[in-house]
Amino acid sequence: MADYEWLSEVRSMVGREYGRIYAWDEVNPAMVRQWCEVMGVDNPLYTDPDYAATTEFGEIVAPPAMLQAWCLEGLHMNNYPPGSTDENPYEVLGLIEAQGYPAVVAVNSELTFDRYVRMGEKLYYTTLIKEVSEEKTTALGTGFFVTQVMSFFSEKPEGDEKVGELLFRVIKFKPAQQPKPVEKSESAVPKIKRPRPGISDDTRFFWEGCEAGELRIQHCKSCNRLQHPPAPVCSHCQSFELDYQISKGKGELYSFVVMHYPEVPPFEYPNPIGLIQLDEGVRIPAGLTGINPADLEIGQRVEVEFQTFDDELTLPLFRPASA
């Protein structure tokens, strides 16, 4: 069992408690409803005020499993509300990493609850470094288990009240030596093909048109309007009387994006993708070809070009219109 000199600094952090991380918002019905929708939770205690009024709580409460969600920073990393600590409770992992343990994997997450949280409560949590293990060797590699405990509190005029706790454990480790992969000849590596579209009775006419070199747009015989993508019913008048018309394949670039990363074979990068406003009045997303992505401009004229991939998949791409 190794006992490195640098471990003394790491072990000195065990028992340290880091300051408060506040919630951006009070516990509120809107966020509870959205969380329940995403998680598939249909308990009326969380979303139905009339039902909740008949229970021992007298009002809706937040799902206990939602506890951690209230104090998350949101879309941007470390974007915590004013008053939150600027201390880094994960600095112990940085110290271990600096000694040659670069990898990390979460191994335990245990959430416990003291009581239900009610609407209008404002929460925060503190973080305690509970334990750093001796050096361990696992199937993943050799490293240290680090255990943290986040304690959640509700602010109260008479004194803050603990409402739950999250124990979180990771292993910070040196990956085990992996066997070298067996080299394969280039001919033995399977060629990755373009993904095939899902073809249904509603879309078959479109893909058959691509094979025939025709850009077919769905047409409603009842209201004489076009729509794309194809659907089983007209989005304008809800008629089922649908056929198609052949577009001239000309239009302008309504919008575009250029994909740089991640690079997914077999596509070439940078990969420009446009939203084309056809002269017939509908928009169609498609790959762009024959132009440097840096030269793309909103509103420029484009025209369709059918290209066949893997000798079996024909797609409509758009290139700058010829003069």
Side-chain angles (χ1 to χ4, degrees), residues 32-33 35-36 41 46 61-67 70 113 116-117 119:
V32 168
R33 175 180 55 78
W35 187 92
C36 288
V41 175
Y46 307 140
V61 294
M66 192 181 175
L67 181 60
W70 296 110
F113 321 102
Y116 282 93
V117 176
M119 301 303 107

Side-chain angles (χ1 to χ4, degrees), residues 154-228:
S154 173
E155 291 186 295
K156 300 284 186 181
E158 64 276 13
D160 298 345
E161 179 184 0
K162 186 177 178 182
V163 295
E165 184 177 276
L166 171 64
L167 181 146
F168 188 60
R169 181 178 293 118
V170 302
I171 178 174
K172 199 81 171 92
F173 64 99
K174 299 176 181 177
Q177 186 68 33
Q178 299 295 325
K180 294 183 179 180
V182 178
E183 294 185 2
K184 298 181 180 179
S185 65
E186 187 173 336
S187 60
V189 179
K191 181 181 178 181
I192 299 177
K193 296 183 178 181
R194 287 235 175 183
R196 294 327 187 240
I199 300 178
S200 67
D201 291 340
D202 299 317
T203 63
R204 185 170 287 104
F205 77 91
F206 178 83
W207 298 110
E208 290 177 347
C210 292
E211 293 178 1
E214 298 176 347
L215 186 60
R216 299 175 179 177
I217 304 299
Q218 195 170 50
H219 168 258
C220 177
K221 294 189 286 186
S222 295
C223 68
N224 196 34
R225 300 180 71 175
L226 300 175
Q227 67 179 14
H228 188 84

Side-chain angles (χ1 to χ4, degrees), residues 42-55:
D42 57 5
N43 188 335
L45 177 61
Y46 307 140
T47 57
D48 186 341
D50 293 335
Y51 172 82
T54 67
T55 69

Side-chain angles (χ1 to χ4, degrees), residues 19 43 52 59 69 109 133 159 183 200 212 228 230 244-245 251 255-256 272 301:
N43 188 335
E59 61 177 347
S109 180
S133 74
E183 294 185 2
S200 67
H228 188 84
Y244 66 83
Q245 292 183 353
S255 181
F256 69 89
R301 295 291 296 175

Side-chain angles (χ1 to χ4, degrees), residues 257-264 269-272 293:
V257 296
V258 180
M259 298 293 296
H260 293 273
Y261 187 84
E263 295 187 359
V264 179
Y269 292 83
N271 181 17

